[in-house]
Amino acid sequence: MVLSRGWSLFLVGVGVWTWVIWPRFAVAIWQDPRSWVSGTVADGSPTGFLWVHALLIAASLAIGTTAGVLGVRGWLAARRKPTS
């Protein structure tokens, strides 16, 4: 299967968007007092709030990276295949 250039570009955009948004969200979660037992950033043990969001962020980055890689591969394959 060869993706069209449009769909390939969309998947690359999803990958880029993921890497722009989720790291910023990770910083916000890290700095949230609900992430720490003591209520002070990076002081004490992490709470379930932090762990759940860390898992969400990791999964989203993995999915976004996969989408971006597929988009790049689709774009390259579409360039190699002559259109009829």
Side-chain angles (χ1 to χ4, degrees):
M1 174 182 183
V2 177
L3 292 171
S4 69
R5 287 186 179 192
W7 280 111
S8 297
L9 188 59
F10 173 76
L11 289 175
V12 170
V14 168
V16 169
W17 176 259
T18 299
W19 278 95
V20 167
I21 294 301
W22 287 105
R24 294 181 65 184
F25 184 68
V27 170
I29 293 300
W30 182 267
Q31 294 175 346
D32 193 314
R34 294 175 292 179
S35 295
W36 306 99
V37 171
S38 68
T40 305
V41 176
D43 183 35
S45 301
T47 63
F49 178 83
L50 178 68
W51 287 116
V52 167
H53 284 88
L55 181 61
L56 171 69
I57 292 163
S60 296
L61 287 172
I63 292 167
T65 299
T66 302
V69 168
L70 289 174
V72 169
R73 291 182 69 186
W75 180 269
L76 295 175
R79 282 184 36 196
R80 285 191 298 264
K81 183 172 178 141
T83 56
S84 329

